Amino acid sequence: MRSAYDVIVVGFGFAGGAAAVAAADKGASVLLLEKMPDPGGISITAGGGMRVCDDYEAAFDYIKASNDGRTPDANIAPIVEGMGWLPQWFGELAADVRAVTEVAPYPGNYPFPGYEALQMLNVLDIPGFDPAREYPHAKALTGGTRAGRGGAAANAAGGGIGVFKVVHEAVKRRDIDVCLGASARRLLSDEHGATGVVVDTGGEQRRVTARGGVVLACGGFESAPDLKRQYWQIDPVLSSACRGNTGDGIRMAQALGADLWHMWHFHGTYGFRHPEHPDIGIRMKRLPDWRPSGRGSAGDGESRAAPMAWVLVDQAGRRFMNEYAPYVQDTGHRPMEPFDPAALRFSRVPCWAVFDDVARKLYPVGGPVLNDRDPSVHYEWSDDNLSEVENGLLHRADSLAELASYMDVDEAAFCETVDAWNGRIEAGLPDEHGRPMSTRCAIATPPYYCGEIWPVVSNTQGGPRHDAEQRVLTPFDEPVSGLYVAGELGSIWGYLYTAGCNLTECFVTGRISGEHAAERAAPT
């Protein structure tokens, strides 16, 4: 690590890797810092599908509608433009490792204008790549989001771990100084803006300056309890991907006057609490997304939904939500948010997942993902869900009354809830909460099972507000000179999120910020 560079990038996930590559390709000297001992951040745990589109107008209309007016058009435009050039740019990076990629139709999660034109870019294969050998610290979704599949494919070289392999190799092939286990503690600044960072490596602090700029690509605040309690009503929310995302970039940018946006919005769902690490969440099994019917919709979205083994009941023993919302990975936590002012508690935190023995045999109901080298945090869910009965994540009961007693809910209310659920399935009646018919499984064959369920965050969308060049802005719309953000830190997604968009944003904003920072350092 030298004392000065053209560009300093903080965080080595997709966004940080893209920023470093883009800056280096512009001729800049680059320092890439990662606070954790291994690279990848939450990026490496992702599904791996990158949202792309070759129809600018359609993509713009869709993303504008999904943001519901909470993000300016000027910030949407670069993302949409990037959806057009990303396949070629990423393809050039992928060619270096002979990765096989595919762009296939994959409509948006919601029937907003333009949804049918959206596509997905996936890594299908990387010859000779063994994820378990090269990234043993990462347990990730595999296979990306494939057209026609609606979920994770079986190819272990795909998914976020395969996409990160492409990025990692691109960084290695360039003259980029990479420092792992190196935390950016504070930004250096003068009267004009950011001039570098204070870096902590094993307790030793060094001041490193940046001639062109600092790119903060260090993720969100999934593992920052103080920020989550400050900006979200619901509490607690467990983190499911990376313990390194503690809001560092937000704090450093605020110290230089950054405005914030979208702090309320996080990409989240619900799941179990890790049996040994109570701050870590284990998401439920990842099931295919489906699309609700609506104006202009093809009307076949529900056919993509798969049987979901469980229902959720609150602390009164009653269902309260559609457990299988169209994109449950983004909005699954939202029905758990209300606070009961009479009972003085969150009556749905925790809640309970309930299913019978037939559903228990369908698949593992838990789907852990995590990037961490500590082996104790990597939980392996059993194929038949019986190990979880033994360790207490699940409880087995021979009757519904016994299950109600264990959950400490009203027996009559719980049994009435189960009878109503089964009765509607048998009669072919619509679900009162809008759950698709194809997803419903009866709770009729003992023994019965339950597990305590908590809200879980995959990644946050809030952070420093920025302009189209990724320059951090103050509350007075003034750019902080030399300070950029990329990726989920200050993401544009302000209301509803669509699968694959955060990954696209990482590459697009990483490239934009890296190039602009490099250009600032270039001789005039």
Side-chain angles (χ1 to χ4, degrees):
M1 186 190 307
R2 305 197 301 268
S3 61
Y5 292 83
D6 291 329
V7 178
I8 299 174
V9 180
V10 181
F12 190 3
F14 292 158
V21 167
D25 286 350
K26 284 286 187 179
S29 60
V30 181
L31 173 64
L32 177 55
L33 302 171
E34 170 54 51
K35 69 183 287 188
M36 302 301 282
D38 301 293
I42 67 168
S43 297
I44 202 170
T45 70
M50 295 162 276
R51 185 66 70 171
V52 296
C53 187
D54 55 12
D55 185 333
Y56 178 91
E57 297 298 333
F60 188 92
D61 288 345
Y62 181 88
I63 293 180
K64 184 178 176 68
S66 65
N67 274 287
D68 192 37
R70 300 173 190 231
T71 302
D73 290 359
N75 289 93
I76 294 174
I79 301 298
V80 176
E81 291 169 1
M83 292 169 74
W85 55 251
L86 182 57
Q88 178 178 344
W89 192 64
F90 184 83
E92 293 169 356
L93 303 181
D96 288 340
V97 291
R98 297 180 294 123
V100 179
T101 62
E102 170 194 69
V103 174
Y106 198 87
N109 296 84
Y110 304 100
F112 295 135
Y115 82 98
E116 291 178 301
L118 300 188
Q119 302 164 307
M120 201 73 84
L121 168 62
N122 287 289
V123 172
L124 302 185
D125 187 34
I126 303 176
F129 174 46
D130 180 357
R133 176 175 57 84
E134 297 195 36
Y135 301 112
H137 56 282
K139 182 174 181 59
L141 294 172
T142 56
T145 309
R146 299 289 305 282
R149 297 285 298 271
N155 175 20
I161 206 163
V163 176
F164 187 74
K165 169 67 173 177
V166 171
V167 176
H168 200 178
E169 291 300 321
V171 169
K172 290 178 182 178
R173 288 168 182 264
R174 288 159 173 82
D175 186 18
I176 297 171
D177 284 356
V178 179
C179 291
L180 302 177
S183 301
R185 294 298 188 188
R186 284 182 176 270
L187 292 168
L188 300 175
S189 63
D190 59 19
E191 66 274 17
H192 301 295
T195 60
V197 296
V198 176
V199 183
D200 187 317
T201 54
E204 178 185 355
Q205 294 196 355
R206 300 181 57 182
R207 297 165 68 89
V208 185
T209 59
R211 289 177 285 267
V214 176
V215 179
L216 297 177
C218 43
F221 56 102
E222 299 88 350
S223 294
D226 60 328
L227 295 181
K228 290 190 291 186
R229 283 183 62 87
Q230 179 64 35
Y231 290 105
W232 303 343
Q233 170 173 276
I234 193 171
D235 180 68
V237 180
L238 310 181
S239 177
S240 69
C242 178
R243 293 191 289 178
N245 285 15
T246 53
D248 303 350
I250 295 172
R251 303 177 204 275
M252 287 188 287
Q254 280 186 297
L256 266 63
D259 192 17
L260 302 180
W261 68 0
H262 305 155
M263 293 295 287
W264 74 276
H265 183 201
F266 65 90
H267 181 56
T269 182
Y270 54 83
F272 300 92
R273 176 168 253 165
H274 194 291
E276 297 180 32
H277 297 272
D279 58 325
I280 294 177
I282 299 174
R283 295 189 299 186
M284 308 293 283
K285 177 180 174 60
R286 179 76 162 92
L287 295 172
D289 306 322
W290 59 279
R291 190 179 314 104
S293 59
R295 187 173 62 184
S297 173
D300 61 351
E302 293 189 13
S303 66
R304 298 165 57 185
M308 175 179 271
W310 60 88
V311 300
L312 299 185
V313 299
D314 61 17
Q315 294 164 15
R318 299 192 181 277
R319 282 185 69 226
F320 59 91
M321 66 179 286
N322 174 4
E323 300 88 350
Y324 200 158
Y327 189 25
V328 70
Q329 295 300 310
D330 182 53
T331 61
H333 64 283
R334 293 191 187 184
M336 303 173 73
E337 291 183 341
F339 178 77
D340 185 341
L344 297 178
R345 66 180 182 182
F346 290 99
S347 60
R348 301 168 181 177
V349 181
C351 59
W352 298 91
V354 177
F355 51 96
D356 74 357
D357 204 49
V358 172
R360 191 265 304 171
K361 299 172 183 176
L362 286 176
Y363 42 64
V365 298
V369 297
L370 197 68
N371 176 17
D372 203 299
R373 69 164 50 186
D374 179 356
S376 73
V377 304
H378 287 278
Y379 185 85
E380 297 291 335
W381 201 279
S382 65
D383 290 339
D384 59 7
N385 299 296
L386 292 180
S387 292
E388 286 64 44
V389 176
E390 298 302 317
N391 67 23
L393 276 173
L394 296 175
H395 178 76
R396 177 170 50 203
D398 292 325
S399 68
L400 293 177
E402 182 184 341
L403 204 65
S405 177
Y406 177 81
M407 296 186 293
D408 193 25
V409 302
D410 183 81
E411 178 183 333
F414 175 63
C415 290
E416 180 183 330
T417 295
V418 173
D419 287 345
W421 169 258
N422 291 337
R424 284 181 174 271
I425 294 174
E426 184 176 357
L429 296 175
D431 177 54
E432 59 185 328
H433 296 289
R435 183 160 151 181
M437 177 68 75
S438 62
T439 73
R440 293 188 277 174
C441 297
I443 305 172
T445 304
Y448 304 102
Y449 303 85
C450 68
E452 204 170 51
I453 299 298
W454 303 82
V456 173
V457 53
S458 297
N459 64 276
T460 57
Q461 309 290 4
R465 190 166 62 90
H466 58 83
D467 63 12
E469 297 177 0
Q470 298 302 127
R471 298 181 300 177
V472 170
L473 297 175
T474 73
F476 300 101
D477 288 330
E478 300 162 342
V480 178
S481 178
L483 185 59
Y484 302 83
V485 288
E488 74 164 309
L489 182 58
S491 175
I492 72 160
W493 313 108
Y495 192 62
L496 289 173
Y497 171 72
T498 285
C501 281
N502 271 139
L503 275 63
T504 295
E505 182 178 34
C506 285
F507 286 102
V508 173
T509 60
R511 184 182 183 186
I512 290 172
S513 59
E515 290 183 347
H516 278 282
E519 288 167 359
R520 284 189 78 244
T524 56

